[in-house]
PDB file of all heavy atoms in Angstrom:
ATOM      1  N   GLY A 115     -43.439 -55.077 113.006  1.00  0.00           N
ATOM      2  CA  GLY A 115     -42.026 -54.736 113.149  1.00  0.00           C
ATOM      3  C   GLY A 115     -41.249 -54.755 111.852  1.00  0.00           C
ATOM      4  O   GLY A 115     -40.126 -54.259 111.800  1.00  0.00           O
ATOM      5  N   THR A 116     -41.828 -55.306 110.773  1.00  0.00           N
ATOM      6  CA  THR A 116     -41.128 -55.350 109.490  1.00  0.00           C
ATOM      7  C   THR A 116     -41.393 -54.116 108.631  1.00  0.00           C
ATOM      8  O   THR A 116     -40.793 -53.958 107.568  1.00  0.00           O
ATOM      9  CB  THR A 116     -41.519 -56.604 108.685  1.00  0.00           C
ATOM     10  OG1 THR A 116     -42.911 -56.541 108.352  1.00  0.00           O
ATOM     11  CG2 THR A 116     -41.219 -57.876 109.471  1.00  0.00           C
ATOM     12  N   LEU A 117     -42.307 -53.249 109.077  1.00  0.00           N
ATOM     13  CA  LEU A 117     -42.605 -52.024 108.322  1.00  0.00           C
ATOM     14  C   LEU A 117     -41.415 -51.066 108.349  1.00  0.00           C
ATOM     15  O   LEU A 117     -40.728 -50.945 109.372  1.00  0.00           O
ATOM     16  CB  LEU A 117     -43.820 -51.311 108.914  1.00  0.00           C
ATOM     17  CG  LEU A 117     -45.165 -51.977 108.682  1.00  0.00           C
ATOM     18  CD1 LEU A 117     -46.201 -51.448 109.668  1.00  0.00           C
ATOM     19  CD2 LEU A 117     -45.622 -51.751 107.248  1.00  0.00           C
ATOM     20  N   ASN A 118     -41.190 -50.365 107.259  1.00  0.00           N
ATOM     21  CA  ASN A 118     -40.130 -49.353 107.227  1.00  0.00           C
ATOM     22  C   ASN A 118     -40.433 -48.202 108.170  1.00  0.00           C
ATOM     23  O   ASN A 118     -39.524 -47.638 108.771  1.00  0.00           O
ATOM     24  CB  ASN A 118     -39.931 -48.820 105.806  1.00  0.00           C
ATOM     25  CG  ASN A 118     -39.338 -49.860 104.882  1.00  0.00           C
ATOM     26  OD1 ASN A 118     -38.822 -50.894 105.323  1.00  0.00           O
ATOM     27  ND2 ASN A 118     -39.419 -49.604 103.593  1.00  0.00           N
ATOM     28  N   ASP A 119     -41.692 -47.817 108.277  1.00  0.00           N
ATOM     29  CA  ASP A 119     -42.114 -46.744 109.178  1.00  0.00           C
ATOM     30  C   ASP A 119     -43.109 -47.313 110.175  1.00  0.00           C
ATOM     31  O   ASP A 119     -44.222 -47.676 109.816  1.00  0.00           O
ATOM     32  CB  ASP A 119     -42.755 -45.601 108.386  1.00  0.00           C
ATOM     33  CG  ASP A 119     -43.309 -44.494 109.267  1.00  0.00           C
ATOM     34  OD1 ASP A 119     -42.961 -44.450 110.475  1.00  0.00           O
ATOM     35  OD2 ASP A 119     -44.082 -43.674 108.767  1.00  0.00           O
ATOM     36  N   THR A 120     -42.709 -47.394 111.431  1.00  0.00           N
ATOM     37  CA  THR A 120     -43.583 -47.930 112.477  1.00  0.00           C
ATOM     38  C   THR A 120     -44.142 -46.824 113.372  1.00  0.00           C
ATOM     39  O   THR A 120     -44.860 -47.116 114.330  1.00  0.00           O
ATOM     40  CB  THR A 120     -42.828 -48.938 113.363  1.00  0.00           C
ATOM     41  OG1 THR A 120     -41.689 -48.278 113.933  1.00  0.00           O
ATOM     42  CG2 THR A 120     -42.373 -50.147 112.550  1.00  0.00           C
ATOM     43  N   SER A 121     -43.849 -45.593 113.062  1.00  0.00           N
ATOM     44  CA  SER A 121     -44.214 -44.479 113.943  1.00  0.00           C
ATOM     45  C   SER A 121     -45.720 -44.297 114.109  1.00  0.00           C
ATOM     46  O   SER A 121     -46.166 -43.753 115.106  1.00  0.00           O
ATOM     47  CB  SER A 121     -43.588 -43.178 113.442  1.00  0.00           C
ATOM     48  OG  SER A 121     -44.133 -42.830 112.174  1.00  0.00           O
ATOM     49  N   TRP A 122     -46.513 -44.752 113.180  1.00  0.00           N
ATOM     50  CA  TRP A 122     -47.969 -44.548 113.204  1.00  0.00           C
ATOM     51  C   TRP A 122     -48.721 -45.692 113.878  1.00  0.00           C
ATOM     52  O   TRP A 122     -49.918 -45.595 114.123  1.00  0.00           O
ATOM     53  CB  TRP A 122     -48.484 -44.372 111.777  1.00  0.00           C
ATOM     54  CG  TRP A 122     -48.241 -45.592 110.930  1.00  0.00           C
ATOM     55  CD1 TRP A 122     -47.110 -45.891 110.230  1.00  0.00           C
ATOM     56  CD2 TRP A 122     -49.123 -46.682 110.750  1.00  0.00           C
ATOM     57  NE1 TRP A 122     -47.253 -47.109 109.614  1.00  0.00           N
ATOM     58  CE2 TRP A 122     -48.488 -47.613 109.910  1.00  0.00           C
ATOM     59  CE3 TRP A 122     -50.414 -46.967 111.206  1.00  0.00           C
ATOM     60  CZ2 TRP A 122     -49.064 -48.810 109.527  1.00  0.00           C
ATOM     61  CZ3 TRP A 122     -50.995 -48.169 110.818  1.00  0.00           C
ATOM     62  CH2 TRP A 122     -50.322 -49.079 109.989  1.00  0.00           C
ATOM     63  N   LEU A 123     -48.042 -46.786 114.191  1.00  0.00           N
ATOM     64  CA  LEU A 123     -48.715 -47.966 114.722  1.00  0.00           C
ATOM     65  C   LEU A 123     -49.311 -47.714 116.107  1.00  0.00           C
ATOM     66  O   LEU A 123     -48.618 -47.299 117.026  1.00  0.00           O
ATOM     67  CB  LEU A 123     -47.736 -49.140 114.812  1.00  0.00           C
ATOM     68  CG  LEU A 123     -47.268 -49.714 113.485  1.00  0.00           C
ATOM     69  CD1 LEU A 123     -46.168 -50.738 113.718  1.00  0.00           C
ATOM     70  CD2 LEU A 123     -48.426 -50.333 112.738  1.00  0.00           C
ATOM     71  N   ARG A 124     -50.602 -47.969 116.234  1.00  0.00           N
ATOM     72  CA  ARG A 124     -51.327 -47.874 117.497  1.00  0.00           C
ATOM     73  C   ARG A 124     -52.373 -48.987 117.513  1.00  0.00           C
ATOM     74  O   ARG A 124     -53.421 -48.855 116.891  1.00  0.00           O
ATOM     75  CB  ARG A 124     -52.054 -46.532 117.649  1.00  0.00           C
ATOM     76  CG  ARG A 124     -51.212 -45.301 117.555  1.00  0.00           C
ATOM     77  CD  ARG A 124     -50.425 -45.038 118.836  1.00  0.00           C
ATOM     78  NE  ARG A 124     -49.661 -43.805 118.748  1.00  0.00           N
ATOM     79  CZ  ARG A 124     -48.455 -43.682 118.209  1.00  0.00           C
ATOM     80  NH1 ARG A 124     -47.882 -44.722 117.659  1.00  0.00           N
ATOM     81  NH2 ARG A 124     -47.817 -42.538 118.201  1.00  0.00           N
ATOM     82  N   PRO A 125     -52.107 -50.099 118.196  1.00  0.00           N
ATOM     83  CA  PRO A 125     -53.097 -51.184 118.223  1.00  0.00           C
ATOM     84  C   PRO A 125     -54.427 -50.714 118.814  1.00  0.00           C
ATOM     85  O   PRO A 125     -54.456 -50.037 119.837  1.00  0.00           O
ATOM     86  CB  PRO A 125     -52.445 -52.235 119.118  1.00  0.00           C
ATOM     87  CG  PRO A 125     -50.984 -51.932 119.063  1.00  0.00           C
ATOM     88  CD  PRO A 125     -50.896 -50.442 118.925  1.00  0.00           C
ATOM     89  N   THR A 126     -55.506 -51.075 118.129  1.00  0.00           N
ATOM     90  CA  THR A 126     -56.845 -50.719 118.607  1.00  0.00           C
ATOM     91  C   THR A 126     -57.555 -51.913 119.222  1.00  0.00           C
ATOM     92  O   THR A 126     -58.616 -51.754 119.814  1.00  0.00           O
ATOM     93  CB  THR A 126     -57.703 -50.160 117.459  1.00  0.00           C
ATOM     94  OG1 THR A 126     -57.784 -51.146 116.424  1.00  0.00           O
ATOM     95  CG2 THR A 126     -57.112 -48.871 116.913  1.00  0.00           C
TER      96      THR A 126
END
Side-chain angles (χ1 to χ4, degrees):
T116 64
L117 288 162
N118 291 346
D119 176 15
T120 58
S121 65
W122 62 274
L123 291 172
R124 303 283 183 275
T126 58

